[in-house]
Amino acid sequence: MSFKSLLGIKPPVSVDVIDFNAHHVATGQVVAYIHKLYREEEFRHLGYRFENRNGSVRFVIYAFPSNRRVIQYFKDRCPAMVENECRALKGEGCTWKEWENGFKEVV
């Protein structure tokens, strides 16, 4: 048993890998971008949320904390790159899967 579990501290369910300006991006375009990553990079278990951060609307893409490949992929990209890739895509619909631990992913 780890020290954190003895204190009742649960490990995070997800980690934010990038956030970017949502002003000119539709949710369907973010879904299309995640689907593209699933196909082209063989990533799995990504989700997104929409936030207002200090008056700026942002999309946040998140993944499992243990998914080092996904985390590094987004460390290698700036938010404007991701925003532009999303803007270039036609919007798609999606379904969501929620895990027992609370993690929600785009399917």
Side-chain angles (χ1 to χ4, degrees):
M1 201 176 236
S2 74
F3 182 70
K4 286 184 178 182
S5 63
L6 288 173
L7 294 174
I9 300 171
K10 294 182 180 179
V13 173
S14 66
V15 62
D16 295 348
V17 291
I18 198 158
D19 69 272
F20 56 95
N21 188 344
H23 194 257
H24 298 289
V25 179
T27 55
Q29 290 172 304
V30 177
V31 169
Y33 179 68
I34 290 173
H35 286 162
K36 179 181 176 213
L37 293 175
Y38 285 174
R39 285 188 312 272
E40 294 178 4
E41 300 295 333
E42 297 180 0
F43 290 165
R44 296 292 173 262
H45 313 302
L46 297 175
Y48 74 90
R49 66 180 180 277
F50 185 79
E51 286 187 0
N52 182 333
R53 291 190 176 178
N54 300 319
S56 176
V57 289
R58 312 289 290 175
F59 277 112
V60 180
I61 296 178
Y62 57 85
F64 283 136
S66 61
N67 199 336
R68 296 287 164 216
R69 191 167 155 248
V70 170
I71 293 167
Q72 187 60 52
Y73 178 88
F74 284 102
K75 281 184 179 181
D76 292 340
R77 279 145 186 81
C78 75
M81 290 172 67
V82 175
E83 177 187 352
N84 286 335
E85 284 190 56
C86 288
R87 288 178 71 174
L89 297 171
K90 182 179 178 184
E92 298 178 9
C94 76
T95 56
W96 290 86
K97 176 182 176 183
E98 185 167 358
W99 294 50
E100 288 180 16
N101 64 3
F103 184 85
K104 291 175 74 174
E105 69 176 312
V106 172
V107 181

